[in-house]
Amino acid sequence: MRLVLAFLALISLPALLAAQDAPPAAAVLVADQVFITHDRTLVAQGNVEAFQGTTRIRAQSIRYSRQTGALIIEGPIVLSEGDDTVILADAAQLDQDLQTGLLTGARLILDQQLQLAAVQINRVEGRYSQLYKTAVTSCKICDDGEAPLWQIRAKRVVHDQLEQQLFFDEAQFRIKNIPVFYLPRLRLPDPTLDRATGFLTPSIRTTSQLGTGLKIPYFIKIGDRRDLTVTPYLSSSTRTLELRYRQAYRTGRIEFNGAVSRDDERPGKTRAYLFGSGHFDLARDYKLDFAIETTSDRAYLTEYGYSGKDRLTSELTVSRARRDQYVRASLFNFESLRDNENNDTLPTLVLDGEYQRRYFPASMGGEFRVALQAHSHRRTSDLSIDGPDPDLIVDGRDVARINGEVDWLRRLTLQSGVVADFRVGANFGFFDITQDSTFAQNHSDFVPHAALALRYPMVRRGRNGVVQTLEPVAQLGWIGGDRLVIPNEESTRVEFDEGNLLALSRFPRPDRRERHGIAAVGLNWSRIDPAGWDAHITVGQVLREKADPAFTNTSGLAGTSSDLLLAGQIKTANGLSLTGRSIFDKEFKFSKAELRGDWDFARGSMGGSYVWLDADPAEARPQDISEISLDGLYKISSAWSASADYRFDIADDRSATAGFGLTYNNECVTVDLSVNRRYSSSTSVEPSTNIGFNIGLRGFAASTGKERYVRSCRN
C-alpha cells in the first residue's frame, strides 16, 4: 500500500529548517513503505518519490536523520529540476531541501540534449553542480562500449543553473576516442540558454578569387533586446570584418548587416557594404518600414557572396491599411550595379505616395472608390538632352505627377445566372517635366471611362465531391480623350496575364493609359477534387478599336487584336504541380512563355522552370532570353541529404550557375558542405567557384525545434 505524507506537522523536510520570513512550500513524500526507526530515522522504501517546490526525486529508498538533517538516498536515482535539468545517480547524500549534497555515479542531462557523465556531482545551494572526471556529449551513447561521435573530457565541470553556463577545467575535445585539441579553460552555454556572449560555430569558405578563408563569429549580448555579432574573415587574399547588429523595441525591430574588407582584388582600397531594415508600429495603425542597401563597388556583394542583387533599393515608407482605406508615402533611392547602366542617368531618387478609399452608398448601391497618387523621380545628371549613350532617353529628365481616379462599381446577378459588373468613372493627371528640351514642362488631362463585364458561371458536381466550373467572360469598355505627348518613364514593361484580362488599362503606371473602345473575351475552367487533383485554365484575348503604338511587339497587346493568352495550373495528389503562362499569335509563335514544375515526394523534392522572351529593343532586350533552371533535394538516408541547383542559358548555349550541397544531421552534429559555381562574367564580376564547409555541435545552443535523426544502437 502506497502512502502519501505531507510533512506539515509531525515530519516535514522544510519544517526542520530554521524559521524564515517566508515559509517554504510543503514537501510531499510518496512510497510503498514508510516507517521510523528507534533512533528516529525516517525510512521510505519502494518506488519512493519526493517533491519540494520544482525539485522532484525518485529513488529506491530514502533515509532521513532528524539529528543531522541529511538524506541518504539509494538508487537508481532520478533528480529533476523543472523541465530542463535531470540528474541520474547511483547513490546520493543531500540536505533536507534537496539543494546541497553529493551524488555518485551520476549523469546530468540538460534540456534532453546534453548529457554530462561524472564520477560524482556536488550540488551547492541548488544553483551549482560540480562534476568531477566528466565526459560531455549530446550524442547517443550505447551500451556496447563504443565511444560517442564526439565528446569533451574535463577534470571538472561546473554548471551554473542560474546563469545557464558550463565552465570546464582542463577540457579535451575528442572525436570518437581520439584527442583533437586541449583547452585549459572553456566556457559554453547550456542548451536552455537562448542568447549568451561567446563564439558561434566557425565556417570555412573557399573561392577561386579570395582563396581559402576561415570565419569565426563572436556573439555579443548587449542586453535582453540588443546584440552584436562580429565575424573576422581571414584568408590569403582578404582581411574582412563582418558585423550584424539587432535590436528589438516594444513596437518594432531593426537589423543591420555589413562588412569592411581589404583584399588583393582591389589593392589599397577599402571595400564595404551595409544592408539594414526595420519595422515599427506607429500610433493610429500606421506602420513604418525602412531599408538601407549600399556597397562600395559593383562586384563586392557577388565576390563575397553577400547578395546576388544587381540593383539596390533603399526606402522609407509610412503606411496604413484598414478595411476601406489605404494610405502610403514612400521615399526610394535606387542604385544599379549593372555594367551597362549609369546611375547618373537613371531615376535614382523617387518619391511615391497613394491614397485609396472605398464607400458603400445605400441610396445608389454598389461601391464608390476614390484614389489619389503622387509621384516624383529625378536623375542626378543635369543634361537636358540625350548624351552619347544610344538609349534615346534624355539624361537629366525629371518628372513629377499627380493622378486621381473616381469609380462607381455595381454588380448584378440576373435571373438567368449571368453576372453583370458595371463600372463608370474618370481619371485626371497633372505632369511636370523638367530638364528635357524635347517636351513642354506642364501637361494635364481628364479621362472618362466606362465598362460592362458579363460572366456566366456554370458548375457541375460529380462523384466523390469533384466540382467543375466553366465561366465564359466578356467585357466592353471605353476610355475617352487622347494621350498626352509626354515621355514613357514608368510603363516601359507591360505584362499581359490572367490578372489584367478585364482591366481598362494594362499599363503598370498612370503615365500611360489605353484609349478608345476595348473589348476582352475569355474562358475560365477549373476542376477541384477533394482527393487532391486540381486544375485551372484561363484563355483570353483583347480586341481594341485602334492599335496602341505604346505597346511593344513582345507585350502581346500590339495591334487591334492581342495575342492569345493561355495560363493554367495542375496539381495532383502525389505532390506534382505544373504552372505555366504564355502569349502567342495566330501562327502559334510565342513571344513570352514561362513554365514551372514541382514534385514533392516522400524522400525529397525536385523542380524546374523554363522562361522564353523574344528580343525587343523597346524593352532594352537586344537578344532572345531562353533559360532553364533545375533544383532538387533528396534525402539519402535518415541523416544524409543532398541538394542541387542548375541554371542554363539556352540562348547563349552556356551554363549560368550551378550548385551542390551535402548535409549530415543527427542528434549531436550537423555538417554542411556546399559548392557553387557562377559562370557569367562582366567588366566588374568574374566567373568564380565558392566552397563552403560548416560543422555545428548540438547541445550548446537553444533547441531549434526542428526534427533531426537520432541514431539507434546496434543489437
Side-chain angles (χ1 to χ4, degrees):
M1 174 179 171
R2 294 179 60 80
L3 301 175
V4 179
L5 301 179
F7 292 87
L8 299 175
L10 178 62
I11 300 174
S12 175
L13 298 181
L16 298 174
L17 298 174
Q20 300 179 3
D21 295 337
V28 177
L29 178 67
V30 180
D32 290 341
Q33 185 179 22
V34 177
F35 59 89
I36 300 177
T37 64
H38 63 87
D39 59 354
R40 303 194 54 83
T41 297
L42 174 69
V43 179
Q45 293 179 340
N47 299 315
V48 182
E49 292 189 50
F51 305 88
Q52 167 66 33
T54 60
T55 303
R56 175 179 179 179
I57 188 169
R58 288 181 293 170
Q60 187 60 35
S61 70
I62 295 180
R63 301 175 64 89
Y64 172 70
S65 173
R66 188 169 184 176
Q67 295 178 351
T68 63
L71 291 169
I72 307 299
I73 307 172
E74 296 180 4
I77 301 170
V78 179
L79 175 65
S80 59
E81 289 279 0
D83 298 328
D84 299 327
T85 303
V86 177
I87 297 178
L88 308 178
D90 296 331
Q93 181 174 342
L94 301 173
D95 64 0
Q96 53 198 0
D97 59 0
L98 308 178
Q99 300 299 303
T100 302
L102 174 67
L103 299 96
T104 59
R107 283 193 299 160
L108 173 62
I109 302 174
L110 301 176
D111 199 28
Q112 301 181 18
Q113 295 184 65
L114 191 67
Q115 51 184 317
L116 301 86
V119 174
Q120 69 178 45
I121 297 180
N122 287 347
R123 284 175 56 83
V124 180
E125 300 176 355
R127 172 178 175 178
Y128 301 100
S129 295
Q130 300 185 63
L131 298 87
Y132 296 92
K133 296 183 179 180
T134 309
V136 181
T137 186
S138 59
C139 300
K140 186 175 181 65
I141 300 177
C142 301
D143 296 332
D144 56 5
E146 183 178 356
L149 186 61
W150 66 265
Q151 60 178 314
I152 299 176
R153 292 289 185 93
K155 182 178 181 180
R156 187 183 71 150
V157 177
V158 177
H159 176 227
D160 187 336
Q161 189 169 333
L162 180 63
E163 296 295 331
Q164 299 168 286
Q165 297 286 328
L166 291 167
F167 301 90
F168 295 77
D169 291 340
E170 300 182 23
Q172 184 184 87
F173 181 78
R174 297 186 178 189
I175 297 179
K176 285 295 187 179
N177 230 352
I178 302 175
V180 177
F181 61 82
Y182 169 84
L183 291 173
R185 296 289 184 272
L186 178 64
R187 178 182 61 86
L188 294 172
D190 78 18
T192 64
L193 183 60
D194 292 330
R195 301 165 64 249
T197 298
F199 287 99
L200 303 179
T201 304
S203 60
I204 298 174
R205 183 173 185 263
T206 300
T207 75
S208 55
Q209 294 171 303
L210 302 176
T212 300
L214 178 65
K215 291 186 177 184
I216 308 176
Y218 187 78
F219 180 86
I220 303 173
K221 179 184 175 182
I222 303 176
D224 292 337
R225 298 175 178 268
R226 295 182 294 171
D227 59 59
L228 175 67
T229 303
V230 181
T231 307
Y233 172 31
L234 302 175
S235 77
S236 58
S237 301
T238 183
R239 282 74 59 199
T240 297
L241 184 65
E242 300 175 357
L243 301 168
R244 184 192 69 179
Y245 177 79
R246 301 184 302 179
Q247 183 167 352
Y249 300 86
R250 183 174 58 86
T251 59
R253 62 188 182 276
I254 61 173
E255 180 175 339
F256 290 90
N257 291 272
V260 180
S261 300
R262 300 279 285 190
D263 56 37
D264 296 341
E265 292 296 304
R266 300 197 176 189
K269 293 186 177 180
T270 300
R271 311 176 71 184
Y273 91 99
L274 177 65
F275 280 13
S277 63
H279 172 83
F280 292 91
D281 296 326
L282 306 180
R284 299 173 60 189
D285 300 327
Y286 280 97
K287 310 289 184 182
L288 171 66
D289 294 275
F290 74 85
I292 299 173
E293 296 181 349
T294 184
T295 184
S296 59
D297 57 80
R298 297 176 186 260
Y300 184 67
L301 296 176
T302 303
E303 288 179 358
Y304 281 78
Y306 295 132
S307 174
K309 290 186 174 183
D310 57 3
R311 282 176 176 164
L312 305 183
T313 303
S314 300
E315 69 168 299
L316 178 64
T317 296
V318 177
S319 63
R320 183 178 70 180
R322 290 180 172 176
R323 181 180 181 273
D324 299 322
Q325 184 188 75
Y326 178 72
V327 59
R328 177 186 60 83
S330 301
L331 170 64
F332 297 94
N333 184 77
F334 299 100
E335 180 183 0
S336 175
L337 304 181
R338 299 181 180 182
D339 292 330
N340 59 347
E341 293 182 343
N342 182 0
N343 283 299
D344 291 339
T345 61
L346 293 176
T348 53
L349 185 61
V350 176
L351 287 168
D352 194 81
E354 60 182 313
Y355 173 81
Q356 299 178 19
R357 185 67 187 268
R358 302 191 307 166
Y359 301 91
F360 300 91
S363 58
M364 59 189 304
E367 178 183 344
F368 190 68
R369 293 182 183 177
V370 177
L372 186 67
Q373 282 191 359
H375 174 88
S376 173
H377 63 258
R378 67 179 300 273
R379 295 172 169 86
T380 306
S381 173
D382 294 328
L383 293 177
S384 59
I385 58 174
D386 185 31
D389 53 315
D391 56 13
L392 301 179
I393 296 177
V394 172
D395 286 354
R397 180 195 299 150
D398 300 327
V399 177
R401 61 171 175 81
I402 296 178
N403 297 91
E405 183 174 4
V406 178
D407 272 307
W408 177 71
L409 302 95
R410 181 70 183 272
R411 168 168 289 189
L412 298 174
T413 302
L414 307 181
Q415 292 183 351
S416 61
V418 174
V419 179
D421 290 304
F422 298 92
R423 178 180 178 182
V424 178
N427 302 280
F428 68 86
F430 299 94
F431 295 83
D432 182 79
I433 302 172
T434 57
Q435 292 189 173
D436 189 336
S437 58
T438 60
F439 290 95
Q441 180 174 353
N442 297 315
H443 303 262
S444 63
D445 67 349
F446 180 81
V447 184
H449 59 256
L452 170 63
L454 301 175
R455 305 170 181 266
Y456 188 58
M458 295 172 282
V459 179
R460 178 183 178 182
R461 301 184 183 276
R463 293 180 299 178
N464 301 324
V466 176
V467 177
Q468 295 189 55
T469 302
L470 184 66
E471 183 186 55
V473 297
Q475 176 178 273
L476 292 175
W478 171 81
I479 304 98
D482 295 320
R483 177 169 296 143
L484 294 176
V485 183
I486 58 175
N488 184 0
E489 286 278 271
E490 302 174 65
S491 298
T492 57
R493 303 290 189 275
V494 179
E495 294 293 334
F496 178 33
D497 55 36
E498 60 272 32
N500 60 18
L501 176 63
L502 301 183
L504 283 179
S505 181
R506 292 159 191 86
F507 290 104
R509 303 290 282 177
D511 61 340
R512 284 287 186 276
R513 293 188 184 277
E514 298 185 45
R515 305 285 174 156
H516 310 297
I518 301 175
V521 293
L523 183 67
N524 297 317
W525 175 80
S526 63
R527 180 186 187 274
I528 300 177
D529 187 346
W533 198 99
D534 298 340
H536 305 274
I537 296 177
T538 297
V539 180
Q541 190 173 30
V542 175
L543 308 172
R544 63 186 75 253
E545 180 184 356
K546 295 182 180 180
D548 193 332
F551 288 120
T552 63
N553 293 330
T554 61
S555 67
L557 296 167
T560 56
S561 60
S562 74
D563 289 348
L564 194 65
L565 167 68
L566 176 62
Q569 183 183 61
I570 298 175
K571 291 184 178 180
T572 65
N574 61 359
L576 181 64
S577 65
L578 190 65
T579 304
R581 178 172 66 92
S582 65
I583 49 178
F584 53 90
D585 59 19
K586 58 184 179 181
E587 298 178 355
F588 289 96
K589 181 182 178 182
F590 292 86
S591 57
K592 293 181 180 180
E594 57 182 338
L595 182 66
R596 174 71 190 183
D598 292 280
W599 182 33
D600 294 328
F601 51 95
R603 304 194 66 170
S605 63
M606 59 185 302
S609 61
Y610 173 74
V611 175
W612 167 265
L613 297 175
D614 264 348
D616 193 344
E619 294 188 358
R621 192 166 54 249
Q623 60 182 8
D624 297 339
I625 293 179
S626 179
E627 289 186 353
I628 185 172
S629 61
L630 302 171
D631 58 85
L633 172 67
Y634 183 71
K635 199 169 184 179
I636 303 172
S637 66
S638 300
W640 289 94
S641 62
S643 61
D645 61 86
Y646 179 68
R647 185 164 62 91
F648 185 79
D649 191 332
I650 300 176
D652 287 346
D653 192 25
R654 63 176 179 85
S655 299
T657 60
F660 175 77
L662 189 64
T663 300
Y664 177 80
N665 184 16
N666 66 13
E667 80 282 358
C668 64
V669 67
T670 298
V671 181
D672 289 309
L673 173 66
S674 62
V675 180
N676 295 280
R677 172 69 178 173
R678 187 185 67 250
Y679 298 90
S680 60
S681 62
S682 64
T683 57
S684 60
V685 179
E686 299 179 358
S688 64
T689 301
N690 299 331
I691 301 175
F693 183 68
N694 180 67
I695 298 178
L697 302 181
R698 294 182 179 273
F700 297 108
S703 175
T704 61
K706 298 180 180 179
E707 295 182 359
R708 57 184 182 270
Y709 165 63
V710 179
R711 296 169 299 149
S712 60
C713 297
R714 298 174 181 176
N715 295 327

